[in-house]
Amino acid sequence: MKNDSFETLSCPMPIMHHDTIQLAHGAGGTLSFDLIERLFLPRFGNDMLNRLEDQAVLEFPGQRLAFTTDSFVVDPLFFPGGDIGGLSIYGTVNDICMSGATPLYVSVAFILEEGLPMETLHRIVVRMEEAAKESGVMVVTGDTKVVDKGSCDKLFINTTGIGVVPEGVNISVNNLNVGDRILLSGTIADHGMAVMTSRKGLSFQSQVQSDCAALNGLVAVMLEQTKDIHAMRDPTRGGLATTLNEFARSSKVGIQLNGDQIPVNPEVQGACEVLGIDPLYVANEGKLVAVVLPGEAENVLKAMRKHKYGREAVIIGEVVEEHPGIVAMSTGFGAERIIDMSVGEQLPRIC
Amino acid sequence: MKNDSFETLSCPMPIMHHDTIQLAHGAGGTLSFDLIERLFLPRFGNDMLNRLEDQAVLEFPGQRLAFTTDSFVVDPLFFPGGDIGGLSIYGTVNDICMSGATPLYVSVAFILEEGLPMETLHRIVVRMEEAAKESGVMVVTGDTKVVDKGSCDKLFINTTGIGVVPEGVNISVNNLNVGDRILLSGTIADHGMAVMTSRKGLSFQSQVQSDCAALNGLVAVMLEQTKDIHAMRDPTRGGLATTLNEFARSSKVGIQLNGDQIPVNPEVQGACEVLGIDPLYVANEGKLVAVVLPGEAENVLKAMRKHKYGREAVIIGEVVEEHPGIVAMSTGFGAERIIDMSVGEQLPRIC
């Protein structure tokens, strides 16, 4: 496998008894311990994980806890701009911080296919370590299952995260009010198109890169501006269109978008046109949509633009009284269209 | 598929748009919502889950939190005495309560194979609902991924759980002291042999039943006797032998077992003999091993025997100064053997 992601590995492969995953690596015996002690603990180790109990016992510094789970089945495992390991940490960190919470702890559960090259697993684990450090979360408990060859495709990862919700923060898809402004942190459709174009048989001159990144730093600077963020979400599967539909339906309000304001990278736009895909429905992994009071919008936007993951942040629309439950979009040509929720599956296994 | 587990279903199959799982059921659009609203919410619904945010925000009533994750890949999905759904709840509840914690919240993440019969998923979800009610935990957040046909074997489930650790409880594999007694809550090897013998090509006259069950009730009655349980674990993958080896190694003490005291159901013993498997290494899913002070052992044992999952509880040995890190077992014939940690995989996909 040839990929940019392979060139920047920060630590050498440990010496293992086997070059590939064996069924016994999931059996709870000597080989399971080998995997834990040589591959996992050197990367993820901390006081809580090192105890190797079947559960982590953690100090919890608050009254309100954010809790989220995600399985990652992305194909291919390594794609331009990212890999399943980094994605599995970022995805859960992002789901936690979309509630305004500070992500603290993560569990990691692998399902491995018998025969998976040990080196592939090692590369992924190294990426997870880097992503966890960048996001400021600790891996505190885990699980490894191995299934016989053919019973899963290489490897799947589940991560589940815990965060602490600060006092006074109350973010929910039910909280949109008429007049609120809708902020988007940057370009859309990068992740989904990066995975899509990296699949066998598709190649574009200028390679599209995934945007996968941890958004908790960006959320922190936004919360410094106002604790009164009404709704916030990272538009992953189903894309921006699906997230905005969920907002409109849950809060029983209309959403009016200015289509010309929604940024799309030119190479992503090109790939979407070639493949006949609407970027509004394509997954993002490092973007967020936030809904705030009209009086707060400019300040929050300014703060976002100072952060590396919000440089291209824009106000893309507002919450309206008309057409409750419906997302409408106008474009520069004066056209108006309804943006419905996605029905089918455009891109299986994008995350 | 014909199985006892299929006959006691407590609620009818909802009307779904498709009889089998489609890729779009995992795409985050309309079909994903269909699955959530018709299949998952009617079974798992509660105030926190019903909000359908990407994360649950939970009240947390304590300072110390127990956190554990497990993926379930058992084959077959339905086996004598249980199924993957019940197992996925019990397994995580048990890992939480082995720290002495009260299990509170569970996340559920499905990886589904395209084409899985909707009815199979429904049956499993109903079992999960029953198991969650029995265990007193709430499903508060979840995730569903669908992979193309052939990329996973039917379905895998990850559950991750949170519990609150009571003050004064400090259970760890590192806490064994010389003189401590080792208690076992009942017969061993039932789960592993039930799965093994239910696989294609193996049938035994008297069918072996899995012991899978939630142990938090049993732990509660034990903690009423003493908060000073030194170590406790449910001996799942790798069996009783592996758990006791982990105790001995982590606490750097020896363990001396009385082999005649370890209960094994006659049909399980028979199946083990036919297949040449040592029951000490076979997985359990409704048993626990606890280590307590010698002066507390009889009281804790008495309390355990009054609970339905501890009726056959016994003292199987004690912690000794000799042979640190090693588990030794004597039998009625005066023989002494070393019980090592398992090396290979005897029973892939037993949980």
Side-chain angles (χ1 to χ4, degrees):
Chain A
M1 201 185 296
K2 213 185 143 198
N3 192 298
D4 288 352
S5 314
F6 272 47
E7 283 159 27
T8 54
L9 205 62
S10 59
C11 67
M13 174 76 188
I15 294 161
M16 306 291 290
H17 289 129
H18 297 266
D19 288 339
T20 60
I21 290 291
Q22 312 290 308
L23 282 172
H25 281 117
T30 308
L31 279 187
S32 292
F33 276 78
D34 201 47
L35 202 60
I36 291 167
E37 283 177 6
R38 293 179 192 223
L39 210 57
F40 297 154
L41 289 188
R43 304 273 66 78
F44 300 143
N46 56 60
D47 287 351
M48 286 157 282
L49 186 66
N50 294 353
R51 293 172 70 225
L52 293 184
E53 307 278 353
D54 280 345
Q55 73 295 114
V57 172
L58 313 167
E59 297 297 319
F60 188 73
Q63 269 92 55
R64 277 194 306 162
L65 182 150
F67 183 41
T68 191
T69 190
D70 246 321
S71 296
F72 296 85
V73 297
V74 65
D75 173 39
L77 298 177
F78 299 87
F79 47 82
D83 66 286
I84 192 172
L87 189 62
S88 72
I89 298 292
Y90 297 140
T92 283
V93 162
N94 291 350
D95 276 348
I96 289 289
C97 70
M98 289 304 118
S99 69
T102 306
L104 298 175
Y105 304 118
V106 173
S107 67
V108 171
F110 293 103
I111 298 176
L112 307 176
E113 186 184 15
E114 182 189 12
L116 179 79
M118 198 63 80
E119 202 199 356
T120 305
L121 180 60
H122 177 245
R123 283 179 185 282
I124 289 164
V125 167
V126 170
R127 294 297 180 197
M128 295 177 79
E129 177 191 22
E130 291 168 358
K133 279 195 181 137
E134 188 195 332
S135 319
V137 295
M138 275 194 284
V139 175
V140 291
T141 192
D143 179 53
T144 306
K145 294 290 187 311
V146 180
V147 297
D148 42 303
K149 201 162 175 60
S151 284
C152 88
D153 186 15
K154 296 184 280 291
L155 97 168
F156 301 145
I157 304 175
N158 176 281
T159 56
T160 301
I162 290 178
V164 58
V165 187
E167 268 184 68
V169 172
N170 182 23
I171 297 171
S172 162
V173 287
N174 300 307
N175 287 353
L176 280 78
N177 292 322
V178 171
D180 286 352
R181 297 297 191 267
I182 296 163
L183 280 60
L184 172 66
S185 65
T187 57
I188 61 167
D190 298 282
H191 175 73
M193 294 318 294
V195 172
M196 188 67 166
T197 56
S198 73
R199 290 209 183 133
K200 213 167 67 176
L202 289 169
S203 80
F204 287 78
Q205 270 202 312
S206 150
Q207 214 175 29
V208 178
Q209 297 277 316
S210 168
D211 59 344
C212 69
L215 295 170
N216 51 332
L218 179 60
V219 171
V221 303
M222 294 167 69
L223 286 173
E224 275 170 27
Q225 290 303 309
T226 176
K227 282 193 168 182
D228 193 22
I229 295 172
H230 291 177
M232 185 155 60
R233 200 169 262 198
D234 54 334
T236 56
R237 281 181 290 175
L240 182 63
T242 300
T243 295
L244 294 176
N245 269 283
E246 286 176 43
F247 283 180
R249 288 181 192 195
S250 299
S251 292
K252 297 176 183 63
V253 294
I255 289 180
Q256 184 66 43
L257 297 179
N258 179 347
D260 299 330
Q261 285 298 313
I262 299 173
V264 186
N265 277 320
E267 59 271 34
V268 170
Q269 185 71 55
C272 281
E273 281 167 14
V274 169
L275 295 168
I277 289 172
D278 184 340
L280 286 171
Y281 293 91
V282 177
N284 311 277
E285 289 291 348
K287 298 293 152 43
L288 64 82
V289 200
V291 181
V292 299
L293 284 170
E296 314 260 30
E298 284 300 334
N299 281 341
V300 174
L301 191 69
K302 231 177 265 174
M304 288 172 77
R305 285 182 172 165
K306 284 184 194 151
H307 191 277
K308 63 178 171 178
Y309 296 137
R311 280 201 199 103
E312 298 175 86
V314 279
I315 297 175
I316 58 167
E318 63 182 288
V319 180
V320 295
E321 218 175 332
E322 298 79 39
H323 53 79
I326 302 236
V327 180
M329 186 170 86
S330 57
T331 65
F333 307 105
E336 182 92 10
R337 63 182 265 229
I338 302 297
I339 308 296
D340 208 350
M341 192 168 263
S342 67
V343 179
E345 171 62 293
Q346 296 181 320
L347 304 165
R349 298 183 62 188
I350 39 141
C351 62
Chain B
M1 201 185 292
K2 214 186 141 196
N3 192 297
D4 288 351
S5 315
F6 272 47
E7 283 158 28
T8 55
L9 206 60
S10 58
C11 67
M13 173 76 187
I15 294 160
M16 305 291 291
H17 289 128
H18 297 265
D19 288 339
T20 60
I21 289 292
Q22 312 290 308
L23 282 170
H25 280 118
T30 308
L31 278 188
S32 292
F33 276 78
D34 202 46
L35 202 59
I36 291 168
E37 283 177 6
R38 292 178 194 226
L39 210 56
F40 297 156
L41 289 188
R43 304 273 64 80
F44 299 143
N46 57 61
D47 287 352
M48 287 158 281
L49 186 67
N50 294 353
R51 292 172 70 226
L52 292 184
E53 307 278 354
D54 280 344
Q55 73 296 113
V57 172
L58 313 168
E59 298 296 321
F60 189 72
Q63 269 93 54
R64 278 194 306 163
L65 182 150
F67 183 41
T68 190
T69 191
D70 246 320
S71 296
F72 296 85
V73 298
V74 64
D75 175 37
L77 299 177
F78 300 87
F79 47 81
D83 66 286
I84 192 171
L87 190 62
S88 72
I89 299 291
Y90 296 141
T92 284
V93 162
N94 291 350
D95 276 349
I96 289 289
C97 70
M98 288 305 118
S99 69
T102 306
L104 298 174
Y105 304 119
V106 172
S107 68
V108 171
F110 293 102
I111 299 177
L112 307 176
E113 185 183 17
E114 182 190 10
L116 179 78
M118 198 61 82
E119 203 200 355
T120 304
L121 180 60
H122 177 246
R123 284 179 184 282
I124 288 164
V125 167
V126 170
R127 294 298 181 196
M128 294 177 80
E129 178 191 22
E130 292 169 355
K133 280 197 180 136
E134 188 195 331
S135 319
V137 295
M138 274 193 286
V139 175
V140 291
T141 192
D143 178 53
T144 307
K145 293 291 188 311
V146 180
V147 297
D148 41 303
K149 201 163 174 60
S151 285
C152 88
D153 186 14
K154 297 185 281 290
L155 97 169
F156 301 145
I157 305 174
N158 176 281
T159 56
T160 301
I162 290 178
V164 57
V165 187
E167 269 184 67
V169 171
N170 182 23
I171 296 171
S172 162
V173 287
N174 301 308
N175 287 353
L176 279 78
N177 292 320
V178 171
D180 285 351
R181 297 297 191 267
I182 297 163
L183 279 61
L184 171 66
S185 66
T187 56
I188 61 167
D190 298 282
H191 175 72
M193 294 317 295
V195 172
M196 188 67 166
T197 56
S198 72
R199 289 207 184 132
K200 213 166 67 179
L202 288 169
S203 80
F204 286 79
Q205 268 202 310
S206 150
Q207 214 174 31
V208 178
Q209 298 278 316
S210 168
D211 59 343
C212 69
L215 295 171
N216 51 332
L218 179 60
V219 171
V221 303
M222 294 167 69
L223 285 172
E224 274 169 28
Q225 291 303 309
T226 177
K227 281 193 169 182
D228 193 22
I229 294 173
H230 291 177
M232 185 156 59
R233 199 168 262 197
D234 54 333
T236 55
R237 280 182 291 175
L240 181 63
T242 300
T243 295
L244 294 176
N245 269 282
E246 287 176 45
F247 283 179
R249 288 180 191 194
S250 300
S251 292
K252 298 177 182 64
V253 294
I255 289 180
Q256 184 66 43
L257 296 179
N258 180 348
D260 299 330
Q261 284 298 314
I262 299 172
V264 186
N265 277 320
E267 60 270 34
V268 170
Q269 185 70 55
C272 283
E273 281 168 13
V274 169
L275 296 166
I277 289 171
D278 185 339
L280 285 171
Y281 293 92
V282 177
N284 310 277
E285 289 290 347
K287 297 293 152 42
L288 65 80
V289 200
V291 182
V292 300
L293 284 170
E296 314 260 28
E298 284 299 333
N299 281 341
V300 174
L301 191 70
K302 233 179 263 176
M304 289 172 77
R305 286 183 172 164
K306 284 184 194 151
H307 191 277
K308 61 178 171 178
Y309 296 138
R311 279 200 200 106
E312 298 176 87
V314 278
I315 298 174
I316 57 167
E318 64 182 289
V319 180
V320 295
E321 220 176 331
E322 298 79 39
H323 53 79
I326 302 234
V327 179
M329 185 170 85
S330 56
T331 65
F333 306 105
E336 183 93 8
R337 65 181 263 226
I338 302 297
I339 308 296
D340 208 350
M341 193 168 264
S342 66
V343 179
E345 171 63 291
Q346 294 182 322
L347 303 166
R349 298 182 64 188
I350 38 140
C351 63

